DNA sequence: CCGCACCTGACAGCAGCCTGAATGCCCTAG
DNA sequence: CTAGGGCATTCAGGCTGCTGTCAGGTGCGG
């Protein structure tokens, strides 16, 4: 599953991210409602973990906006122990479940697994971009019916492109997908992986924009 | 199977948990009705073992609520020897079976196995995946007509794959099937079992997805 | 035509994975 | 009670193929 974590407490955010990641899900961690809103615009999540007290507003505002826009992505609220009124208001605003801070990480896993289970049995969501049918949950790619095998790093890069097909991605953005945020990379690793992806996905799948970056050819322009 | 154990006596709880776990089931152990209620909300169990005298109420209340909500998960009551009236009331409240304390652990295993059998008594308990005909009720597997014998742990793993044939399962997900939720496993047990399953099921039955996990080859893609 | 950005084949090192074997536990038969 | 067998778990050694780097090549822009 792909999960959006909206949490501005650094320690908790890291713990949650690591736990969910170990459970085999992909996590995008943002620390404000602003980033959360832009994230849901560009990416489709299977689950959103939402803290309520955030630097630029209250989580309910985000949740209400989301539901008003017809988005039915499951949302689990992360809230402090005694704010009972919040819990009720949250259910009214469209939350699916609660986790009361401080919560055990195994409890978190259980809730997330429960949401994952609800998806089980349904066919995986398959995204179509250009020639490709991509099963995001399963990391499977078909190009004109032919399966394509990618390594972990290659997939990480490709996934980055998928989230913004046709949009220009800078080298720095791509590096951030492969390594820890802000890790300095001195060699031409990105170029090498672009090359490898092209060999597997087809020469024209990724377009070089000289001096700027790369973009995935999506054919819908 | 995934089993919820509701029991507030530490010693007994541990013994039951260990026994069931050894029988190849996954156990979530909670010590109060409050936790039990949140557990069944987020997780689908195949069986609930329910003590009656609990710190925050009587097990019957939980059971009635469960049935009222339309939940048909089998429930086995764990009760003290002489409370005959409780037994009758329990059956009325929707329990499936009883265990009178103190009970033998082998007796427990037998009851659990019986419920497992009944629970899986769907009209056609034979599942076909790839080359395999799998009888979920009897834990029997035929590969091209040849019977395959699996041990408890091997079966637990294979069952996990069966529930999502062709879908990628992370190591953590597989570990959760074999052990307590969130139990840390440091060695390569999963790999060893994958290896053994391959030896019994055929080299290509399970596909390694490097850095991600494994998936059962289901041939329906 | 030059300079720079980008491409790609090759390769060493090593992470991740596989598997035979050893260990210890438990159960059963005798 | 003891011997033996089956199973779960751990460990070590070996292997595969992924990763990151480099060097030399290609081609674009000016």
């Amino acid at each position: 599953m792909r999960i959006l974590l909206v949490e501005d407490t650094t320690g908790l955010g890291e713990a949650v991210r690591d736990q969910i990641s170990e459970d085999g899900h992909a996590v995008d961690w943002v620390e404000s409602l602003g980033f959360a809103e832009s994230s849901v615009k560009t990416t489709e999540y299977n689950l959103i973990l939402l803290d309520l007290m955030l630097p630029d507003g209250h989580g309910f505002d985000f949740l209400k906006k989301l539901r008003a826009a017809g988005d039915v992505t499951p949302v689990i609220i992360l809230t402090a122990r005694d704010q009972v009124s919040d819990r009720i208001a949250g259910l009214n605003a469209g939350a699916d479940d609660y986790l009361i801070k401080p919560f055990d990480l195994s409890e978190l896993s259980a809730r997330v697994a429960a949401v994952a289970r609800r998806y089980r049995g349904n066919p995986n969501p398959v995204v179509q971009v250009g020639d490709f049918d991509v099963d995001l949950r399963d990391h499977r790619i078909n190009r004109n019916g032919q399966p394509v095998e990618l390594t972990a790093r290659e997939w990480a890069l490709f996934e980055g492109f998928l989230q913004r097909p046709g949009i220009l991605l800078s080298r720095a953005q791509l590096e951030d997908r492969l390594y820890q945020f802000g890790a300095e990379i001195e060699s031409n690793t990105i170029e090498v992986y672009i090359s490898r992806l092209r060999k597997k996905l087809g020469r024209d799948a990724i377009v070089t924009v000289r001096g700027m970056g790369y973009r995935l050819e999506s054919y819908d322009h």
Side-chain angles (χ1 to χ4, degrees), chain A residues 25 34 63 76 161 204:
Chain A
H25 306 292
L63 179 54
I76 297 181
F161 281 117
D204 303 329

Side-chain angles (χ1 to χ4, degrees), chain A residues 12 99 107 161 194:
Chain A
L12 182 60
L99 273 171
E107 179 68 13
F161 281 117
I194 293 287

Side-chain angles (χ1 to χ4, degrees), chain A:
Chain A
M1 291 210 306
R2 176 156 286 279
I3 298 175
L4 176 64
L5 169 63
V6 189
E7 171 63 62
D8 66 329
T9 312
T10 308
L12 182 60
E14 280 176 1
V16 169
R17 182 197 57 197
D18 293 345
Q19 177 66 41
I20 295 179
S21 173
E22 266 182 35
D23 290 340
H25 306 292
V27 188
D28 289 347
W29 174 22
V30 299
E31 307 195 8
S32 74
L33 295 181
F35 284 120
E37 280 177 18
S38 62
S39 293
V40 297
K41 270 184 199 135
T42 54
T43 309
E44 204 164 291
Y45 293 96
N46 308 113
L47 170 64
I48 298 171
L49 298 174
L50 180 63
D51 187 24
L52 291 183
M53 305 303 287
L54 290 159
D56 55 345
H58 197 279
F60 283 167
D61 300 330
F62 171 71
L63 179 54
K64 279 179 192 160
K65 233 185 269 179
L66 197 73
R67 296 300 185 223
D71 193 320
V72 294
T73 307
V75 172
I76 297 181
I77 301 273
L78 313 175
T79 185
R81 174 173 298 286
D82 46 358
Q83 293 167 316
V84 185
S85 59
D86 270 1
R87 300 185 58 177
I88 296 163
L91 290 174
N92 287 335
D96 294 75
D97 205 348
Y98 269 93
L99 273 171
I100 313 277
K101 297 181 190 177
F103 48 83
D104 202 273
L105 285 178
S106 63
E107 179 68 13
L108 171 72
S109 288
R111 304 287 179 108
V112 171
V115 171
R117 213 167 290 121
R118 252 181 269 152
Y119 278 94
R120 185 203 296 169
N122 308 343
N124 282 359
V126 174
V127 174
Q128 293 197 4
V129 177
D131 294 346
F132 304 102
D133 296 336
V134 186
D135 186 329
L136 289 172
R137 236 194 283 162
D138 223 0
H139 291 204
R140 274 208 238 219
I141 304 173
N142 275 306
R143 176 184 161 79
N144 303 325
Q146 290 298 311
V148 178
E149 303 281 346
L150 295 188
T151 70
R153 283 289 201 268
E154 288 164 1
W155 171 266
L157 251 200
F158 186 56
E159 200 181 30
F161 281 117
L162 278 180
Q163 288 176 18
R164 299 162 179 79
I167 302 289
L168 180 70
L169 294 181
S170 74
R171 228 161 252 253
Q173 283 175 297
L174 295 173
E175 284 169 7
D176 284 345
R177 279 206 71 81
L178 293 190
Y179 308 96
Q180 293 323 320
F181 219 54
E184 292 297 320
I185 197 82
E186 307 127 33
S187 75
N188 63 343
T189 311
I190 295 294
E191 292 169 18
V192 172
Y193 277 105
I194 293 287
S195 170
R196 286 176 185 158
L197 276 178
R198 279 179 178 148
K199 204 183 279 183
K200 291 186 177 182
L201 301 176
R203 201 114 315 233
D204 303 329
I206 298 169
V207 179
T208 303
V209 182
R210 208 157 212 268
M212 310 256 71
Y214 302 87
R215 80 165 155 251
L216 183 65
E217 192 54 74
S218 59
Y219 304 138
D220 53 23
H221 291 281

